[in-house]
Coordinates of all heavy atoms in Angstrom, one line a residue:
M1 N 0.8 -1.2 0.0 CA 0.0 0.0 0.0 C 0.9 1.2 0.0 O 1.8 1.3 0.7 CB -0.9 0.0 1.2 CG -2.1 0.9 1.1 SD -3.4 0.6 2.2 CE -2.6 0.2 3.8
G2 N 0.6 2.2 -0.9 CA 1.4 3.4 -1.0 C 1.2 4.4 0.2 O 0.3 4.2 1.0
R3 N 2.1 5.4 0.2 CA 2.0 6.4 1.3 C 0.7 7.1 1.3 O 0.1 7.3 2.4 CB 3.1 7.4 1.1 CG 3.9 7.6 2.4 CD 5.1 8.6 2.1 NE 4.7 9.9 2.5 CZ 5.2 11.0 2.0 NH1 6.2 11.0 1.2 NH2 4.8 12.2 2.5
F4 N 0.2 7.5 0.1 CA -1.1 8.2 0.0 C -2.2 7.4 0.6 O -3.0 7.9 1.4 CB -1.3 8.6 -1.5 CG -2.7 9.2 -1.7 CD1 -2.9 10.5 -1.3 CD2 -3.7 8.4 -2.2 CE1 -4.2 11.1 -1.5 CE2 -5.0 9.0 -2.4 CZ -5.2 10.3 -2.1
F5 N -2.3 6.1 0.3 CA -3.4 5.3 0.7 C -3.3 5.1 2.2 O -4.3 5.0 2.9 CB -3.5 4.0 -0.1 CG -4.0 4.3 -1.5 CD1 -3.1 4.2 -2.5 CD2 -5.3 4.6 -1.8 CE1 -3.5 4.5 -3.8 CE2 -5.7 4.9 -3.1 CZ -4.8 4.8 -4.1
R6 N -2.1 5.0 2.7 CA -2.0 4.8 4.2 C -2.4 6.1 4.9 O -3.1 6.0 5.9 CB -0.5 4.5 4.6 CG -0.1 3.0 4.5 CD 1.1 2.8 5.3 NE 2.3 3.4 4.8 CZ 3.1 3.0 3.9 NH1 2.8 1.8 3.3 NH2 4.1 3.7 3.5
A7 N -2.1 7.2 4.3 CA -2.5 8.5 4.9 C -4.1 8.6 4.9 O -4.7 9.0 5.9 CB -1.9 9.7 4.2
V8 N -4.7 8.2 3.8 CA -6.1 8.3 3.7 C -6.8 7.4 4.7 O -7.7 7.7 5.4 CB -6.6 8.0 2.2 CG1 -8.1 7.8 2.2 CG2 -6.2 9.0 1.3
K9 N -6.2 6.2 4.8 CA -6.8 5.2 5.7 C -6.6 5.7 7.2 O -7.6 5.6 8.0 CB -6.0 3.9 5.6 CG -6.6 2.7 6.3 CD -6.0 1.4 5.8 CE -6.5 0.2 6.7 NZ -5.8 0.1 7.9
A10 N -5.5 6.3 7.5 CA -5.3 6.8 8.9 C -6.3 7.9 9.1 O -6.8 8.1 10.2 CB -3.9 7.4 9.0
G11 N -6.6 8.8 8.1 CA -7.5 9.9 8.3 C -8.9 9.3 8.6 O -9.6 9.8 9.5
F12 N -9.3 8.3 7.9 CA -10.7 7.7 8.1 C -10.7 7.1 9.5 O -11.7 7.2 10.2 CB -11.0 6.7 7.0 CG -11.5 7.3 5.8 CD1 -10.9 7.1 4.6 CD2 -12.7 8.0 5.8 CE1 -11.4 7.7 3.4 CE2 -13.2 8.6 4.7 CZ -12.6 8.4 3.4
E13 N -9.6 6.4 9.9 CA -9.7 5.8 11.2 C -9.8 6.8 12.3 O -10.5 6.6 13.3 CB -8.4 4.9 11.4 CG -8.6 3.5 10.7 CD -7.3 2.7 10.5 OE1 -6.3 3.2 11.0 OE2 -7.4 1.7 9.9
S14 N -9.1 7.9 12.2 CA -9.1 8.9 13.2 C -10.5 9.6 13.3 O -11.0 10.0 14.3 CB -8.0 10.0 13.1 OG -8.2 10.7 11.9
M15 N -11.2 9.7 12.1 CA -12.5 10.3 12.0 C -13.5 9.4 12.7 O -14.5 9.8 13.3 CB -13.0 10.5 10.6 CG -12.4 11.8 10.0 SD -13.2 12.3 8.5 CE -13.8 10.8 7.7
G16 N -13.3 8.1 12.7 CA -14.2 7.1 13.2 C -14.2 7.0 14.7 O -15.1 6.5 15.3
E17 N -13.2 7.6 15.3 CA -13.1 7.5 16.8 C -14.0 8.5 17.4 O -14.0 9.7 17.1 CB -11.7 7.8 17.3 CG -10.8 6.6 17.2 CD -9.3 7.0 17.4 OE1 -9.1 7.9 18.2 OE2 -8.4 6.3 16.8
A18 N -14.9 8.1 18.3 CA -15.8 9.0 19.0 C -15.0 9.8 20.0 O -14.1 9.3 20.7 CB -16.9 8.2 19.7
P19 N -15.3 11.1 20.1 CA -14.5 11.9 21.1 C -15.0 11.5 22.6 O -16.1 11.1 22.8 CB -15.0 13.3 20.8 CG -16.2 13.2 20.1 CD -16.2 11.9 19.4
V20 N -14.0 11.6 23.5 CA -14.3 11.2 24.9 C -15.2 12.3 25.5 O -16.1 12.0 26.3 CB -13.0 11.1 25.7 CG1 -13.2 10.8 27.1 CG2 -12.1 10.0 25.1
G21 N -14.9 13.6 25.2 CA -15.7 14.6 25.8 C -15.2 15.1 27.1 O -14.3 14.5 27.7
D22 N -15.7 16.2 27.6 CA -15.3 16.8 28.9 C -16.5 17.1 29.7 O -17.7 17.0 29.3 CB -14.6 18.2 28.6 CG -13.3 18.0 27.8 OD1 -12.4 17.3 28.3 OD2 -13.2 18.6 26.7
R23 N -16.3 17.3 31.0 CA -17.3 17.7 32.0 C -17.5 19.2 32.0 O -16.6 19.9 31.9 CB -17.0 17.2 33.4 CG -16.9 15.7 33.5 CD -16.2 15.4 34.8 NE -16.1 13.9 35.0 CZ -16.9 13.2 35.7 NH1 -17.9 13.8 36.4 NH2 -16.8 11.9 35.8
F24 N -18.8 19.6 32.0 CA -19.1 21.1 32.0 C -20.1 21.4 33.1 O -20.8 20.5 33.6 CB -19.7 21.5 30.7 CG -18.7 21.6 29.5 CD1 -18.4 20.5 28.8 CD2 -18.1 22.8 29.3 CE1 -17.5 20.5 27.7 CE2 -17.2 22.9 28.3 CZ -16.9 21.8 27.5
V25 N -20.0 22.7 33.5 CA -20.9 23.2 34.6 C -21.7 24.4 33.9 O -21.1 25.2 33.3 CB -20.1 23.7 35.8 CG1 -21.0 24.4 36.8 CG2 -19.4 22.5 36.5
V26 N -23.0 24.4 34.1 CA -23.8 25.6 33.7 C -24.6 26.0 34.9 O -25.3 25.2 35.6 CB -24.7 25.2 32.5 CG1 -25.6 26.4 32.2 CG2 -23.9 24.8 31.3
A27 N -24.5 27.4 35.2 CA -25.2 27.9 36.3 C -24.9 27.2 37.6 O -25.8 26.9 38.4 CB -26.7 28.0 36.0
G28 N -23.7 26.8 37.8 CA -23.3 26.1 39.0 C -23.7 24.7 39.2 O -23.5 24.1 40.2
K29 N -24.2 24.1 38.1 CA -24.7 22.7 38.2 C -24.0 21.9 37.1 O -23.9 22.3 35.9 CB -26.2 22.7 37.9 CG -26.8 21.5 38.6 CD -28.3 21.5 38.4 CE -28.8 20.1 38.7 NZ -30.0 19.7 38.0
A30 N -23.4 20.7 37.5 CA -22.8 19.9 36.5 C -23.7 19.4 35.4 O -24.9 19.1 35.7 CB -22.2 18.7 37.2
V31 N -23.3 19.5 34.2 CA -24.1 19.1 33.1 C -24.1 17.5 32.9 O -23.1 16.9 32.9 CB -23.7 19.7 31.8 CG1 -24.4 19.1 30.6 CG2 -23.8 21.2 31.8
S32 N -25.3 16.9 32.9 CA -25.4 15.5 32.6 C -26.5 15.4 31.5 O -27.4 16.2 31.4 CB -25.7 14.7 33.8 OG -27.0 15.0 34.3
C33 N -26.4 14.3 30.7 CA -27.3 14.1 29.6 C -28.7 13.8 30.1 O -28.9 13.0 31.0 CB -26.8 13.0 28.7 SG -27.9 12.6 27.4
A34 N -29.7 14.5 29.6 CA -31.1 14.3 30.0 C -31.6 13.0 29.5 O -32.6 12.5 30.1 CB -32.0 15.5 29.5
H35 N -31.0 12.4 28.6 CA -31.5 11.1 28.0 C -30.8 9.9 28.7 O -31.5 9.0 29.2 CB -31.2 11.1 26.5 CG -31.7 9.8 25.9 ND1 -33.0 9.4 25.9 CD2 -31.0 8.8 25.3 CE1 -33.1 8.3 25.3 NE2 -31.9 7.8 25.0
C36 N -29.4 10.0 28.8 CA -28.7 8.8 29.3 C -27.9 9.0 30.6 O -27.3 8.1 31.1 CB -27.9 8.2 28.2 SG -26.4 9.1 27.9
A37 N -27.9 10.3 31.1 CA -27.2 10.7 32.3 C -25.7 10.6 32.2 O -25.0 10.7 33.2 CB -27.7 9.8 33.5
H38 N -25.2 10.5 31.0 CA -23.7 10.5 30.8 C -23.3 12.0 31.1 O -24.0 12.9 30.9 CB -23.4 10.2 29.3 CG -22.0 9.9 29.0 ND1 -21.3 8.9 29.6 CD2 -21.1 10.6 28.2 CE1 -20.0 8.9 29.1 NE2 -19.9 9.9 28.3
V39 N -22.0 12.1 31.6 CA -21.6 13.4 32.1 C -20.5 14.0 31.2 O -20.0 15.1 31.4 CB -21.1 13.4 33.5 CG1 -22.2 13.1 34.5 CG2 -20.0 12.4 33.7
R40 N -20.1 13.3 30.1 CA -19.0 13.8 29.2 C -19.7 14.2 27.9 O -20.4 13.5 27.3 CB -17.9 12.8 29.0 CG -17.1 12.6 30.3 CD -15.9 11.8 30.0 NE -15.1 11.7 31.2 CZ -14.2 12.6 31.6 NH1 -13.9 13.6 30.8 NH2 -13.5 12.4 32.7
V41 N -19.4 15.5 27.6 CA -20.0 16.1 26.4 C -19.0 16.9 25.6 O -17.9 17.2 26.1 CB -21.2 17.1 26.8 CG1 -22.3 16.3 27.4 CG2 -20.7 18.2 27.7
V42 N -19.3 17.2 24.3 CA -18.4 18.0 23.5 C -19.1 19.3 23.3 O -20.3 19.4 22.9 CB -18.2 17.3 22.1 CG1 -17.4 18.2 21.2 CG2 -17.4 16.0 22.4
E43 N -18.4 20.4 23.5 CA -19.0 21.8 23.3 C -18.9 22.2 21.9 O -18.0 21.9 21.2 CB -18.2 22.8 24.2 CG -18.8 24.2 24.2 CD -18.1 25.2 25.1 OE1 -16.9 24.9 25.3 OE2 -18.7 26.2 25.5
G44 N -20.0 22.9 21.5 CA -20.0 23.5 20.1 C -20.8 24.8 20.2 O -21.3 25.2 21.3
R45 N -20.9 25.5 19.1 CA -21.6 26.7 19.0 C -22.6 26.7 17.8 O -22.2 26.1 16.8 CB -20.7 27.9 18.9 CG -19.9 28.1 20.2 CD -19.6 29.6 20.4 NE -20.7 30.3 20.9 CZ -21.0 30.4 22.2 NH1 -20.3 29.7 23.1 NH2 -22.1 31.1 22.7
A46 N -23.7 27.2 18.0 CA -24.7 27.3 16.9 C -25.3 28.7 16.8 O -25.6 29.3 17.9 CB -25.8 26.2 17.1
L47 N -25.5 29.2 15.6 CA -26.1 30.5 15.5 C -27.6 30.3 15.6 O -28.2 29.3 15.2 CB -25.8 31.1 14.1 CG -24.3 31.5 13.9 CD1 -24.2 31.9 12.4 CD2 -24.0 32.7 14.8
L48 N -28.2 31.3 16.3 CA -29.6 31.3 16.4 C -30.3 32.2 15.4 O -29.7 33.2 15.0 CB -30.0 31.8 17.8 CG -29.6 30.9 19.0 CD1 -29.8 31.6 20.3 CD2 -30.3 29.6 18.9
N49 N -31.4 31.8 14.9 CA -32.1 32.5 13.9 C -32.6 33.8 14.5 O -33.3 33.9 15.5 CB -33.3 31.6 13.4 CG -34.2 32.3 12.4 OD1 -34.8 33.3 12.7 ND2 -34.1 31.8 11.2
T50 N -32.2 35.0 13.8 CA -32.5 36.3 14.4 C -34.0 36.5 14.5 O -34.5 37.1 15.5 CB -31.8 37.4 13.6 OG1 -30.4 37.1 13.5 CG2 -32.0 38.7 14.2
A51 N -34.8 36.2 13.4 CA -36.2 36.4 13.4 C -36.9 35.6 14.5 O -37.7 36.0 15.2 CB -36.8 35.9 12.1
G52 N -36.4 34.4 14.8 CA -36.9 33.5 15.8 C -36.6 34.1 17.2 O -37.4 34.1 18.1
M53 N -35.4 34.8 17.3 CA -35.0 35.4 18.6 C -36.0 36.5 18.9 O -36.4 36.7 20.0 CB -33.6 35.9 18.5 CG -32.5 34.9 18.3 SD -32.2 34.0 19.9 CE -31.1 35.2 20.6
S54 N -36.3 37.3 17.9 CA -37.2 38.4 18.1 C -38.6 37.9 18.5 O -39.3 38.4 19.4 CB -37.4 39.3 16.8 OG -36.1 39.8 16.5
F55 N -39.0 36.9 17.8 CA -40.3 36.3 18.1 C -40.4 35.8 19.6 O -41.4 35.9 20.3 CB -40.6 35.1 17.1 CG -41.8 34.4 17.4 CD1 -43.1 34.9 17.0 CD2 -41.8 33.1 17.9 CE1 -44.3 34.2 17.3 CE2 -43.0 32.4 18.1 CZ -44.2 33.0 17.8
L56 N -39.3 35.2 20.0 CA -39.2 34.7 21.4 C -38.9 35.7 22.4 O -38.7 35.4 23.6 CB -38.2 33.5 21.5 CG -38.6 32.2 20.7 CD1 -37.4 31.3 20.6 CD2 -39.8 31.5 21.3
N57 N -38.7 37.0 22.0 CA -38.3 38.1 22.9 C -37.0 37.8 23.5 O -36.8 38.1 24.7 CB -39.4 38.2 24.0 CG -40.0 39.6 24.0 OD1 -39.4 40.5 23.4 ND2 -41.1 39.8 24.6
L58 N -36.1 37.3 22.7 CA -34.7 36.9 23.3 C -33.7 37.8 22.6 O -32.5 37.4 22.5 CB -34.4 35.5 23.0 CG -35.1 34.5 23.9 CD1 -34.9 33.0 23.4 CD2 -34.7 34.6 25.3
D59 N -34.1 39.0 22.2 CA -33.1 39.9 21.6 C -31.9 40.3 22.5 O -30.9 40.7 22.0 CB -33.8 41.2 21.1 CG -34.7 40.9 19.9 OD1 -34.3 40.1 19.0 OD2 -35.7 41.5 19.7
W60 N -32.2 40.2 23.8 CA -31.1 40.5 24.8 C -30.0 39.5 24.8 O -28.9 39.8 25.2 CB -31.7 40.6 26.2 CG -32.5 39.4 26.5 CD1 -33.9 39.3 26.4 CD2 -32.0 38.2 27.1 NE1 -34.2 38.0 26.8 CE2 -33.1 37.3 27.2 CE3 -30.8 37.8 27.5 CZ2 -33.0 36.0 27.8 CZ3 -30.7 36.5 28.0 CH2 -31.8 35.6 28.2
A61 N -30.3 38.3 24.3 CA -29.3 37.2 24.4 C -28.3 37.3 23.2 O -28.5 38.0 22.2 CB -30.1 35.9 24.3
N62 N -27.3 36.6 23.4 CA -26.3 36.5 22.3 C -27.0 35.9 21.1 O -27.9 35.1 21.2 CB -25.2 35.5 22.7 CG -24.3 36.1 23.7 OD1 -24.2 37.4 23.8 ND2 -23.6 35.3 24.5
R63 N -26.4 36.1 19.9 CA -27.0 35.6 18.7 C -26.5 34.2 18.5 O -26.8 33.6 17.4 CB -26.8 36.5 17.5 CG -27.5 37.8 17.7 CD -28.6 38.0 16.7 NE -29.7 38.8 17.1 CZ -29.7 40.2 17.0 NH1 -28.7 40.8 16.5 NH2 -30.7 40.9 17.5
S64 N -25.7 33.7 19.4 CA -25.2 32.3 19.2 C -25.5 31.6 20.6 O -25.6 32.2 21.6 CB -23.8 32.2 18.9 OG -22.9 32.6 19.9
A65 N -25.7 30.3 20.5 CA -25.9 29.5 21.7 C -24.8 28.4 21.8 O -24.2 28.1 20.8 CB -27.3 28.8 21.6
A66 N -24.6 28.0 23.0 CA -23.6 26.9 23.2 C -24.4 25.6 23.1 O -25.5 25.5 23.6 CB -22.9 27.0 24.6
T67 N -23.8 24.6 22.4 CA -24.4 23.3 22.4 C -23.4 22.3 23.1 O -22.2 22.4 23.0 CB -24.6 22.8 20.9 OG1 -23.3 22.8 20.2 CG2 -25.5 23.7 20.2
L68 N -24.0 21.4 23.8 CA -23.2 20.4 24.5 C -23.8 19.0 24.0 O -25.0 18.7 24.2 CB -23.3 20.5 26.0 CG -22.7 21.7 26.6 CD1 -22.9 21.7 28.1 CD2 -21.2 21.9 26.3
T69 N -23.0 18.3 23.3 CA -23.4 17.0 22.7 C -22.9 15.9 23.5 O -21.7 15.7 23.8 CB -22.9 16.9 21.2 OG1 -23.3 18.1 20.5 CG2 -23.4 15.7 20.6
C70 N -23.8 15.0 24.0 CA -23.5 13.9 24.8 C -22.6 12.9 23.9 O -23.0 12.6 22.8 CB -24.8 13.2 25.2 SG -24.5 11.6 26.1
T71 N -21.5 12.5 24.5 CA -20.6 11.6 23.7 C -21.1 10.1 23.8 O -20.5 9.3 23.1 CB -19.2 11.7 24.2 OG1 -19.1 11.5 25.6 CG2 -18.6 13.0 23.8
A72 N -22.1 9.8 24.6 CA -22.6 8.5 24.7 C -23.7 8.2 23.8 O -23.8 7.2 23.1 CB -23.0 8.1 26.2
C73 N -24.7 9.2 23.8 CA -25.9 8.9 23.0 C -26.2 9.9 21.9 O -27.0 9.7 21.0 CB -27.2 8.8 23.9 SG -27.7 10.5 24.5
G74 N -25.4 11.1 21.9 CA -25.5 12.1 20.8 C -26.6 13.1 21.1 O -26.8 13.9 20.2
R75 N -27.2 13.1 22.2 CA -28.2 14.1 22.5 C -27.6 15.5 22.6 O -26.5 15.6 23.1 CB -29.0 13.8 23.8 CG -30.0 14.9 24.1 CD -30.6 14.6 25.5 NE -31.3 15.8 26.0 CZ -32.7 16.0 25.8 NH1 -33.4 15.0 25.3 NH2 -33.2 17.1 26.2
I76 N -28.2 16.5 22.0 CA -27.7 17.9 22.0 C -28.5 18.7 23.0 O -29.7 18.8 22.8 CB -27.7 18.5 20.6 CG1 -26.9 17.6 19.6 CG2 -27.1 19.9 20.7 CD1 -27.1 18.1 18.2
E77 N -27.8 19.3 24.0 CA -28.4 20.3 24.9 C -28.0 21.7 24.4 O -26.8 21.9 24.0 CB -27.9 20.1 26.3 CG -28.2 18.7 26.8 CD -29.6 18.5 27.3 OE1 -30.4 19.4 27.2 OE2 -29.9 17.4 27.7
W78 N -28.9 22.7 24.5 CA -28.6 24.0 24.1 C -28.6 24.9 25.3 O -29.4 24.8 26.2 CB -29.7 24.5 23.2 CG -29.8 23.9 21.8 CD1 -30.2 22.6 21.6 CD2 -29.5 24.4 20.6 NE1 -30.1 22.3 20.2 CE2 -29.7 23.5 19.6 CE3 -29.1 25.7 20.2 CZ2 -29.5 23.7 18.3 CZ3 -28.9 26.0 18.8 CH2 -29.1 25.0 17.9
F79 N -27.6 25.8 25.4 CA -27.5 26.8 26.5 C -27.3 28.2 25.9 O -26.4 28.4 25.0 CB -26.4 26.4 27.4 CG -26.7 25.2 28.2 CD1 -26.1 24.0 27.7 CD2 -27.4 25.1 29.3 CE1 -26.4 22.8 28.4 CE2 -27.7 24.0 30.0 CZ -27.1 22.8 29.5
L80 N -28.0 29.2 26.4 CA -27.7 30.6 26.1 C -26.5 31.1 26.9 O -25.7 31.9 26.5 CB -28.9 31.5 26.3 CG -30.0 31.3 25.2 CD1 -31.2 32.2 25.6 CD2 -29.5 31.7 23.9
A81 N -26.3 30.5 28.1 CA -25.2 30.8 29.0 C -24.0 30.0 28.5 O -24.2 28.9 28.0 CB -25.5 30.5 30.4
D82 N -22.8 30.6 28.7 CA -21.6 29.8 28.3 C -21.3 28.8 29.3 O -21.1 29.1 30.5 CB -20.4 30.8 28.2 CG -20.3 31.4 26.8 OD1 -20.7 30.8 25.8 OD2 -19.9 32.6 26.7
P83 N -21.2 27.5 28.9 CA -20.8 26.4 29.9 C -19.4 26.6 30.3 O -18.6 27.0 29.5 CB -21.0 25.2 29.1 CG -21.8 25.5 27.9 CD -21.5 27.0 27.6
E84 N -19.1 26.3 31.6 CA -17.7 26.3 32.0 C -17.2 24.9 32.1 O -17.9 24.0 32.5 CB -17.6 26.9 33.5 CG -18.0 28.3 33.6 CD -18.4 28.7 35.0 OE1 -17.7 28.2 35.9 OE2 -19.3 29.5 35.2
E85 N -16.0 24.7 31.7 CA -15.4 23.4 31.7 C -15.1 23.0 33.2 O -14.6 23.8 33.9 CB -14.1 23.3 30.9 CG -14.0 22.1 30.1 CD -12.8 22.1 29.1 OE1 -12.7 23.0 28.3 OE2 -12.0 21.2 29.3
A86 N -15.5 21.9 33.6 CA -15.4 21.5 35.0 C -14.1 20.7 35.2 O -13.6 20.0 34.3 CB -16.5 20.6 35.5
Ligands
ZN1 ZN1 -26.6 10.9 26.5

């Protein structure tokens, strides 16, 4: 197998590994998955729809939300507050 194909194969193998995740705290409370109670999640950010924010009277909030994705079951929790790494 050539170098190129080994590199491609290594790339696919590293993509296939599920992230372990980290523990987070929001509003002084440790985050655990509402579905499976797992405590390790991966942080991400998602933009909120501006028209939706106005409709919900959330113009005061950031236009982006933090997402915490459970590394066990994949459930995504949304937070307007920034989660702190625990
Ligand atoms: Zn979960």
